[in-house]
Amino acid sequence: MGASEAAVAADGTGEAAPRAGLSGGRKAVGSVSWAVLVPVLLLLGSAIGQWVTWLGVVVVMAVIAVAAWVIGGVWHRAGAATLVSFGGFALMLFAGPAVYEAYMTTVGEPVDAVVTRVADRDQRRGPDMFCTVRELGGDRSTYEVSQQENCFGQAEPGDRVEIREDPLGLLDPRLPDSPDQRNTTEITLAVTAGLTLLLAGGTFYGGQRRRDR
């Protein structure tokens, strides 16, 4: 009996027997692996974006594309793929600032500085604040920081502030929060954690409910 004949159903209808799917254990392990890998790589890409913006965007876009292809194209779970795709873009917006703020507030070295200039550059996408600060000690380095480094007009020229400098020298210094910015870091971290869990759950669900075709 040939291989094609062996695949014929026993009732003689001529329909091929369905291909055996993954065992429950292997499916669970694969689902967990993807559910961990996708959020971790997105968080890594978002963190890289705070250092080299274009590189971080490339990493995040590549991760989202691969995850959408696996969940939607291989596992055939279009809903889960859509959830992970949109959740990945949302995570990129929150995770980068969350990682930067948490890193600088916990590891950053406090340095006394003075604000020398505050500029509101009205660009096409809207107001964009830039603050120029100069160290009061050491080599008296001068930095121009943007809203990404917490320049939102809370300090005026001549104000003395305590900035946080990256001990590795990779990231720009961060300006301190104003009184009305309390708990913003905690809120950003909470949103990031929620989106991370959502992505992990969506990926795991897609892996567990995959359709073999």
Side-chain angles (χ1 to χ4, degrees):
M1 181 181 291
S4 60
E5 294 174 336
V8 177
D11 59 3
T13 60
E15 295 180 359
R19 183 179 59 183
L22 295 175
S23 64
R26 291 180 60 190
K27 182 183 291 186
V29 171
S31 301
V32 170
S33 299
W34 278 99
V36 172
L37 186 63
V38 170
V40 167
L41 290 179
L42 287 174
L43 290 173
L44 178 61
S46 299
I48 293 175
Q50 297 298 302
W51 174 41
V52 183
T53 303
W54 69 265
L55 181 58
V57 172
V58 169
V59 172
V60 169
M61 294 294 290
V63 173
I64 292 175
V66 171
W69 173 74
V70 170
I71 300 172
V74 178
W75 295 347
H76 305 289
R77 303 305 305 190
T82 302
L83 173 66
V84 171
S85 297
F86 282 99
F89 285 113
L91 181 63
M92 177 178 63
L93 298 177
F94 286 94
V99 171
Y100 171 77
E101 291 174 16
Y103 173 75
M104 294 299 285
T105 54
T106 56
V107 182
E109 299 174 347
V111 175
D112 290 330
V114 61
V115 179
T116 60
R117 185 171 182 267
V118 178
D120 185 354
R121 302 173 185 173
D122 196 10
Q123 300 183 354
R124 292 182 62 183
R125 65 174 181 271
D128 206 355
M129 302 292 296
F130 285 86
C131 300
T132 304
V133 295
R134 186 181 70 247
E135 294 179 355
L136 293 177
D139 56 5
R140 295 183 177 273
S141 299
T142 299
Y143 305 95
E144 184 181 63
V145 298
S146 65
Q147 292 180 170
Q148 181 174 324
E149 290 79 39
N150 204 36
C151 172
F152 287 98
Q154 70 270 37
E156 299 292 336
D159 289 352
R160 295 186 60 170
V161 295
E162 184 182 78
I163 61 175
R164 292 274 179 168
E165 292 187 354
D166 180 10
L168 299 178
L170 300 177
L171 304 175
D172 290 330
R174 183 178 189 273
L175 286 171
D177 293 334
S178 63
D180 59 353
Q181 286 180 299
R182 293 177 181 176
N183 301 323
T184 55
T185 299
E186 289 79 2
I187 294 173
T188 306
L189 288 172
V191 173
T192 300
L195 289 172
T196 301
L197 292 176
L198 179 66
L199 285 172
T203 305
F204 180 78
Y205 172 83
Q208 287 297 95
R209 303 289 294 178
R210 70 185 70 177
R211 298 189 184 101
D212 295 322
R213 293 181 180 177

